[in-house]
Every structure is written in structure tokens, then in C-alpha cells.
Amino acid sequence: MAKPKGGLGRGLSTLIPDNEYQTDKEPMFVSVEKIAPYENQPRKVFNKEKLEELCESIRAHGIIQPLIVVKKGDIYKIVAGERRFRASLMAGLKEVPVVVKDLSDEEIVQLALIENLQREDISEIEAAMAYKQLSEKYGMTQEMISKKIGKSRTAIANTMRLTTLDDEIKKLIYEKKLSAGHARAVLMLKDEKKRVSFANYIVEHGLSVRAAEKLSAVYEAENEKKPKSPAPPKKLDAHYVRIEDELTAALGTKVNLKPKKDKGVIQIEYYSNEELARLIKLINSVSD
């Protein structure tokens, strides 16, 4: 069977080759008292309902896939499988199967991130913090992270921008009251206090991402002491909406059309000098 060429389909083999992961050694069973989560685990919030479902599955069938751990003194730190570990505790297991690996700190962070992205979607904030750690602590560029994780460099850059948000806004994203798309609309505001206010406004009024993007500039100009409800944005004709979507997909970044009769403005957004250079190169290649 042919192996996937890239992306998350490569799974744990991205960092641990198949022949290494499928070790000749049988998984060893370790007391749950000697196992602890890895401190830099990217996932911070675990869905209680899904943990309970996994707990019932473990009670019925046991743990099918062993945890991946590294040994630190007398303690085994979890690299991949913290959800299974938590569910095992709920199920009352006294010991669980593990495979011990010799991994660097950088490999541990990468593997933990990939494992979580594959098993269950982590929040955009958790992913953003993990990407930031790979960048700042291990010197990985956005391009390097993109190749390792299997997501576009633009997606990595956009997600990393969420780390600049106020903690109150991050909490709304953790609680899934605010989507990452809404959060990027909030980032369009320069004033941090207005960002928090706008984020709460989006939640209270149930705005769509597109509506939030259109209202961001209006909200920026609002008097903070006398807040007014921003006027709803003028709806674009379906023809222009389709063109916006096509340009956004082609350029890999947000594009806004502002038509005025037979003329108008095309607004292309970028979030870093690196991304600006990429857009210029892309546009030049089309014109050549």
C-alpha cells in the first residue's frame, strides 16, 4: 500500500518512522502512579463527554494503543495518549501499556501536537501556543512548522496571531463561544480594550464571521464611552462574494472587494513581512 505523501495523514510516522513505532519489544505495563502528563502538552482542555465515552470503551476493550512516553527519573512523561491516560484513570485502571521512547524536547512537542491534531481537534489557541513554542524555543520557521505539521504556512501564520489576543478573548475561544475566524476579525482592531468589547459584542449578537469582518472597521471608530450598535454592512452581490472567495483561495489570504459602479478596490490582507513577500512573488509569477 502506498504511503500518504504528506500532511496529517502521515501521523506519528512524521516523527517516529513506522519501523521504529512498530518496535519488536512488547509494550510494558506501568503503574498509573508513575505516569504524569508532559508539562508542555499542547492540549489544555479535554471534552468531558468524549472522555466518558472513551472511558466506557476502555472498560469494555482495554487500551488498544499504548501510550508513548519518555522516562524522566522514576516518572514516565506522556508524549502521546494523555486522553487515553485520563480515561483509564476514570475507568479505574491501575496500570496501562506504554512504549518508552528516547526523544528530544523538540520532538516531544512536535509529536504531542501531531498526535492531538490527529486524534481530536485541539482549539486554535492551543495550536497557536504550540506553534509559538516551536518557533521561539526551537527556532523553527513558519515554513518548517508547515512542512512538519502538514498545514499551509499561511494557516500557521494566521493561527499564531491568536497568541496576541487578550486572555478574556482566548477564554471565549477555549469555551467555543468564539471561533478562530471571529477572533481574526477581532484582531483587525488596534485597541486592545475595544477588541475585548467587540469579541463580547460578536458573542452576544451571534454575528457570522463575514459580518464581524465587515463591522470591525466601524466598531474601531465607535466612541468607547458611548457605544452604539454598528450599522449592518451592505451586502455584496452574490457575484462579488464569489469573486472574493475565489481570490481568497487563490492567494491564500483574506481578500475584500469594494465595488463602486464600474470601478472599485481590491483589498488584500497580509499578517507578516514574510507573507507580504510571498504574495508579491505569487502576483509577479502570474504577471510574467
Side-chain angles (χ1 to χ4, degrees):
M1 181 182 291
K3 292 185 178 180
K5 291 184 179 179
L8 291 177
R10 291 178 293 177
L12 300 183
S13 63
T14 304
L15 292 174
I16 301 179
D18 291 340
N19 59 353
E20 183 180 347
Y21 185 63
Q22 301 296 337
T23 175
D24 292 335
K25 295 181 180 179
E26 289 293 325
M28 59 185 289
F29 281 81
V30 174
S31 168
V32 294
E33 296 179 357
K34 291 187 176 183
I35 299 174
Y38 179 66
E39 294 81 358
N40 292 321
Q41 165 68 255
R43 178 177 290 283
K44 304 301 180 186
V45 179
F46 293 82
N47 184 288
K48 184 178 179 181
E49 185 177 328
K50 290 185 177 180
L51 273 179
E52 289 173 349
E53 290 175 0
L54 183 56
C55 171
E56 290 303 316
S57 174
I58 289 174
R59 281 197 181 108
H61 308 290
I63 299 181
I64 297 174
Q65 184 178 7
L67 282 59
I68 305 297
V69 299
V70 292
K71 193 172 183 182
K72 301 287 186 180
D74 294 329
I75 299 298
Y76 295 88
K77 296 285 187 175
I78 301 171
V79 177
E82 185 174 346
R83 287 181 65 247
R84 297 193 293 282
F85 177 66
R86 287 172 176 254
S88 297
L89 293 178
M90 292 170 62
L93 269 61
K94 300 300 181 184
E95 56 181 19
V96 294
V98 305
V99 172
V100 182
K101 293 292 178 183
D102 182 16
L103 303 170
S104 67
D105 287 343
E106 181 178 344
E107 288 173 324
I108 291 172
V109 173
Q110 293 176 34
L111 181 56
L113 177 58
I114 292 172
E115 196 268 349
N116 276 301
L117 285 169
Q118 280 206 308
R119 299 304 189 270
E120 180 185 4
D121 290 340
I122 65 174
S123 75
E124 289 277 346
I125 288 295
E126 289 169 327
M129 297 305 294
Y131 295 154
K132 183 179 180 182
Q133 185 178 7
L134 289 173
S135 174
E136 294 183 354
K137 191 171 181 179
Y138 301 109
M140 293 182 68
T141 65
Q142 291 177 2
E143 189 66 31
M144 291 166 67
I145 297 173
S146 168
K147 290 178 180 178
K148 184 67 70 176
I149 302 303
K151 288 193 174 185
S152 72
R153 195 209 54 76
T154 301
I156 299 295
N158 286 341
T159 300
M160 287 181 70
R161 292 181 66 227
L162 301 182
T163 61
T164 64
L165 289 168
D166 183 272
D167 287 343
E168 186 175 338
I169 302 175
K170 290 178 183 176
K171 186 171 182 290
L172 291 175
I173 301 174
Y174 271 126
E175 296 172 348
K176 297 187 177 180
K177 294 179 180 178
L178 201 70
S179 73
H182 287 118
R184 293 185 185 101
V186 171
L187 280 167
M188 294 178 184
L189 277 66
K190 297 178 181 178
D191 190 304
E192 289 189 8
K193 289 184 179 179
K194 286 190 177 182
R195 283 181 177 179
V196 174
S197 174
F198 187 41
N200 286 313
Y201 181 92
I202 291 171
V203 174
E204 289 169 9
H205 292 80
L207 297 184
S208 67
V209 173
R210 182 175 288 275
E213 290 171 345
K214 298 295 183 185
L215 286 174
S216 60
V218 179
Y219 204 93
E220 180 85 90
E222 287 293 321
N223 187 324
E224 189 70 17
K225 295 181 181 180
K226 297 179 180 179
K228 301 175 184 177
S229 296
K234 291 182 180 179
K235 279 193 172 183
L236 272 182
D237 181 85
H239 170 68
Y240 290 115
V241 171
R242 187 169 62 255
I243 293 175
E244 270 190 349
D245 292 340
E246 289 175 356
L247 288 172
T248 295
L251 295 176
T253 190
K254 180 65 182 172
V255 176
N256 292 302
L257 279 185
K258 297 181 179 179
K260 294 180 181 179
K261 293 186 178 180
D262 295 330
K263 59 182 181 179
V265 174
I266 299 177
Q267 185 180 55
I268 303 173
E269 297 185 8
Y270 66 94
Y271 309 109
S272 67
N273 290 333
E274 195 178 63
E275 186 164 12
L276 175 60
R278 180 187 68 83
L279 288 169
I280 292 173
K281 184 178 179 180
L282 180 61
I283 293 170
N284 284 338
S285 69
V286 173
S287 62
D288 287 344

